[in-house]
Amino acid sequence: MIPHSLALVLVSCLAALLPGCGRRAADVPANKAAATVAAVALVERRPFALTYRTSGTVRGVSTATLTGKTMGHVRTVHVRPGDVVRAGQLLAELEAGDVRAGVAGAEAALSSARASKVEAESGLEAAHVGAKLARTSHARAAALFADRVIARAQYDDEEARLQSAAAEEQMARARVESVESGIARAKAALAETRAVLGYTKILAPFAGRVLERYVDPGALATPGTALFVVADDTRLRVEASVEESRIPGLALGDTATIEVESVPAPLLGKVSEIVPNVDVTSRAFLVKIDLPENTRTLRAGTFARVNFHVGTEQRLVVPSSAINRYGALDRVFVLENGVARLRMITCGESQGPWTSVLSGVSEGDRLIRAPAVALRDGSRIEPSP
């Protein structure tokens, strides 16, 4: 029989040995995890398009700033910014009481001149008849005088009446011409006053959209004061400022990629005009790029980013799908000896499926093309065929 004290010692020894046995069982290496099959891509050098980027503004191909041509207070305004207008639509009207009075006076003067013409033409007709009668009497008197039937004095009277009738006919003709000149002057005066009256009506020069409205009823409009800005938003273009040093590389007809936040995909535009004058403040040229016709969702005044293709160069690139972004960090998994190793990289510009890399990898490195979310540094990888 084991003494009680010895039993306690044995129990204590067994209790001390049991934890050690548990640690040894846990320390036994488990079976290696199965390798993850993943597609692999090489870091390589490819021709990379060089672009020059600048900002621009979407504008209508036809954009007009409407100004006042005469002085007057604004009587009515019929449109607001954003309204669609048709060609010739009335946008605003100025007070024009004195101009309307001038039109009425010019119309009255024209009517008077036309009445004078009727009177003058009647006088000319009477002068024609008198001259014809005088010529007939003179011819008869000349024949009688030649036959010595009448005296010299009677013949001289007929001669004088003929000259008087001819003078009256000439005066009547001159009076008609004078009246016709008066009618022409009256018509010109009427056209002028009507043109001034037309200046009191501000009309849309073409169909489009009102972008700006600078006046309200009651405001005083003066000649040269901007009242509205109207743009034809069915045909749009981008106006961009281009640095002076970049202009020699651009030509009419060159293509440019336009990025607008409201449009999901970039637009392809064509350079239609390079304004030859440089802005002395920014030392930049204004370049106009026509947009395709299927851009009705755009609005004039929208901000745009413009990318001009200026050449190509060889750059170190990786598939964009291989880049794993974590906050502000760009990472890739490099395959080394069958194991994925996480590396930080510095990315450059992206074009299509490729992204240029400035640092972090070398040419020939093998990357996981599309790393899974669960992929970790040290994971075993088996490249897919």
Side-chain angles (χ1 to χ4, degrees), residues 19-31:
C21 294
R23 283 194 299 271
R24 284 193 298 271
D27 290 341
V28 175
N31 293 332

Side-chain angles (χ1 to χ4, degrees), residues 122-268:
S122 297
L124 179 60
E125 184 65 25
H128 280 320
V129 173
K132 182 178 179 181
L133 181 60
R135 284 192 293 272
T136 302
S137 298
H138 178 268
R140 186 181 302 114
L144 293 174
F145 178 72
D147 294 337
R148 299 181 181 272
V149 175
I150 61 175
R152 178 75 184 188
Q154 191 175 357
Y155 173 76
D156 290 342
D157 289 342
E158 293 295 333
E159 181 77 18
R161 279 194 288 271
L162 177 61
Q163 293 178 359
S164 177
E168 289 180 1
E169 184 181 23
Q170 186 175 0
M171 289 175 58
R173 187 178 293 108
R175 191 177 302 115
V176 171
E177 292 176 354
S178 176
V179 171
E180 288 178 346
S181 298
I183 292 176
R185 289 193 298 270
K187 287 182 177 180
L190 179 59
E192 182 180 359
T193 52
R194 282 177 174 172
V196 175
L197 181 62
Y199 295 158
T200 64
K201 295 181 179 181
I202 312 302
L203 307 178
F206 45 75
R209 188 182 300 273
V210 179
L211 300 185
E212 299 288 347
R213 189 186 91 176
Y214 299 114
V215 293
D216 294 305
L220 178 63
T222 58
T225 302
L227 305 178
F228 300 93
V229 177
V230 179
D232 180 6
D233 57 0
T234 59
R235 296 182 302 143
L236 298 175
R237 67 185 175 199
V238 173
E239 297 182 359
S241 295
V242 177
E243 295 176 3
E244 187 176 0
S245 60
R246 298 286 185 173
I247 288 298
L250 295 180
L252 298 179
D254 287 353
T255 57
T257 304
I258 313 297
E259 299 174 1
V260 182
E261 290 186 358
S262 60
V263 179
L267 302 172
L268 193 63

Side-chain angles (χ1 to χ4, degrees), residues 17-375:
L17 290 173
L18 286 174
C21 294
R23 283 194 299 271
R24 284 193 298 271
D27 290 341
V28 175
N31 293 332
K32 291 183 179 180
T36 301
V37 179
V40 176
L42 290 177
V43 178
E44 55 185 308
R45 291 192 177 274
R46 283 177 171 266
F48 213 69
L50 298 179
T51 57
Y52 166 68
R53 292 190 172 186
T54 186
S55 60
T57 304
V58 178
R59 299 192 186 279
V61 172
S62 298
T63 302
T65 300
L66 308 184
T67 61
K69 294 183 179 180
T70 186
M71 181 179 292
H73 287 87
V74 179
R75 182 181 179 184
T76 55
V77 179
H78 302 285
V79 294
R80 295 175 296 179
D83 288 352
V84 176
V85 296
R86 64 183 182 277
Q89 180 176 334
L90 181 64
L91 306 183
E93 191 171 2
L94 309 182
E95 295 288 352
D98 54 343
V99 181
R100 289 190 177 89
V103 171
E107 288 176 344
L110 179 59
S111 298
S112 177
R114 285 172 173 167
S116 298
K117 182 180 179 181
V118 173
E119 181 181 355
E121 287 176 343
S122 297
L124 179 60
E125 184 65 25
H128 280 320
V129 173
K132 182 178 179 181
L133 181 60
R135 284 192 293 272
T136 302
S137 298
H138 178 268
R140 186 181 302 114
L144 293 174
F145 178 72
D147 294 337
R148 299 181 181 272
V149 175
I150 61 175
R152 178 75 184 188
Q154 191 175 357
Y155 173 76
D156 290 342
D157 289 342
E158 293 295 333
E159 181 77 18
R161 279 194 288 271
L162 177 61
Q163 293 178 359
S164 177
E168 289 180 1
E169 184 181 23
Q170 186 175 0
M171 289 175 58
R173 187 178 293 108
R175 191 177 302 115
V176 171
E177 292 176 354
S178 176
V179 171
E180 288 178 346
S181 298
I183 292 176
R185 289 193 298 270
K187 287 182 177 180
L190 179 59
E192 182 180 359
T193 52
R194 282 177 174 172
V196 175
L197 181 62
Y199 295 158
T200 64
K201 295 181 179 181
I202 312 302
L203 307 178
F206 45 75
R209 188 182 300 273
V210 179
L211 300 185
E212 299 288 347
R213 189 186 91 176
Y214 299 114
V215 293
D216 294 305
L220 178 63
T222 58
T225 302
L227 305 178
F228 300 93
V229 177
V230 179
D232 180 6
D233 57 0
T234 59
R235 296 182 302 143
L236 298 175
R237 67 185 175 199
V238 173
E239 297 182 359
S241 295
V242 177
E243 295 176 3
E244 187 176 0
S245 60
R246 298 286 185 173
I247 288 298
L250 295 180
L252 298 179
D254 287 353
T255 57
T257 304
I258 313 297
E259 299 174 1
V260 182
E261 290 186 358
S262 60
V263 179
L267 302 172
L268 193 63
K270 183 176 293 186
V271 176
S272 60
E273 182 180 350
I274 300 176
V275 178
N277 297 328
V278 63
D279 189 321
V280 296
T281 303
S282 60
R283 294 298 175 187
F285 286 82
L286 183 65
V287 177
K288 300 178 182 180
I289 305 104
D290 288 345
L291 294 176
E293 296 182 357
N294 57 346
T295 54
R296 295 183 179 272
T297 57
L298 289 180
R299 290 290 179 264
T302 304
F303 175 79
R305 294 181 177 86
V306 184
N307 302 314
F308 294 101
H309 176 67
V310 293
T312 58
E313 72 174 7
Q314 293 289 327
R315 287 190 181 180
L316 199 65
V317 298
V318 300
S320 299
S321 60
I323 300 173
N324 178 276
R325 289 182 170 85
Y326 183 78
L329 302 177
D330 293 325
R331 312 177 302 178
V332 294
F333 285 94
V334 179
L335 184 60
E336 296 179 350
N337 300 322
V339 176
R341 294 301 180 188
L342 187 64
R343 286 191 193 175
M344 303 298 173
I345 61 172
T346 303
C347 291
E349 185 181 353
S350 295
Q351 290 183 6
W354 302 95
T355 298
S356 64
V357 178
L358 306 180
S359 64
V361 291
S362 301
E363 184 177 2
D365 286 348
R366 296 195 300 168
L367 307 180
I368 308 303
R369 180 179 290 274
V373 176
L375 188 63

